[in-house]
Amino acid sequence: MNSLRPYILLLFLIFGLQQIQSQSYHFKTSGFSVLEKNERGKWGEWSNLDLVNLSVVLDTNKHRIVVYSQEIQLYSILDYIEREENDTDIVYSFMCKDNDGKECKLSIITRKKQDYRKQLYINYDDHIIVYNIITV
């Protein structure tokens, strides 16, 4: 039994290191809404919440966020912004480029005072998309 102990320890270390290196976070969406600027450059109102069940993956190994909608939305992470926290929110933000090469800011926000509800915001200069998400 003592001769097996080093091998068992080695197996635990190998599986533990694989878990540490795979930094992939999976979410499901439950709905989305869009906010757009009008012709005067003023923000309008949020659209009605549309129910949608999509997969979202944050993959820090590949430095990307993917929203698996009918047309796959691929956001390459250019920069990881320092985590922010206040009395109401916990915010993880990323500066990204989308499929078309446009820069945008993605933020995963946890609403502390709303039962820790999570949302994914995709911020462009002229519009914002928000998805309600849950961790899977």
Side-chain angles (χ1 to χ4, degrees):
M1 185 65 171
N2 283 341
S3 63
L4 289 177
R5 194 173 278 169
Y7 295 110
I8 293 171
L9 180 63
L10 182 61
L11 281 174
F12 281 119
L13 286 173
I14 290 171
F15 287 118
L17 288 176
Q18 284 181 332
Q19 187 68 15
I20 289 171
Q21 290 184 1
S22 83
Q23 294 294 318
S24 187
Y25 304 91
H26 298 264
F27 305 94
K28 285 282 184 190
T29 66
S30 61
F32 81 100
S33 183
V34 178
L35 176 66
E36 295 181 298
K37 282 187 178 177
N38 62 24
E39 56 279 348
R40 294 184 191 168
K42 302 281 185 192
W43 290 106
E45 293 187 18
W46 285 101
S47 67
N48 291 331
L49 186 71
D50 286 332
L51 301 180
V52 63
N53 183 13
L54 305 172
S55 294
V56 176
V57 177
L58 163 58
D59 188 336
T60 58
N61 288 331
K62 295 181 180 176
H63 306 289
R64 68 184 190 181
I65 298 170
V66 183
V67 179
Y68 290 95
S69 55
Q70 187 172 357
E71 185 177 322
I72 293 177
Q73 302 169 53
L74 174 63
Y75 301 94
S76 299
I77 299 173
L78 305 173
D79 191 23
Y80 294 81
I81 299 172
E82 191 172 331
R83 175 183 182 263
E84 299 174 38
E85 184 170 355
N86 57 40
D87 291 341
T88 59
D89 300 320
I90 302 168
V91 182
Y92 294 91
S93 294
F94 314 87
M95 291 307 300
C96 300
K97 274 198 179 179
D98 67 11
N99 301 24
D100 299 324
K102 295 179 186 172
E103 287 195 14
C104 54
K105 180 180 176 183
L106 276 70
S107 299
I108 297 173
I109 301 176
T110 302
R111 307 288 183 187
K112 292 181 182 179
K113 295 186 177 180
Q114 298 177 17
D115 292 327
Y116 288 84
R117 178 171 68 109
K118 288 183 175 31
Q119 295 181 302
L120 170 64
Y121 281 81
I122 304 170
N123 295 278
Y124 289 92
D125 290 336
D126 61 347
H127 70 283
I128 301 171
I129 304 167
V130 63
Y131 290 98
N132 289 329
I133 58 174
I134 56 168
T135 306
V136 292

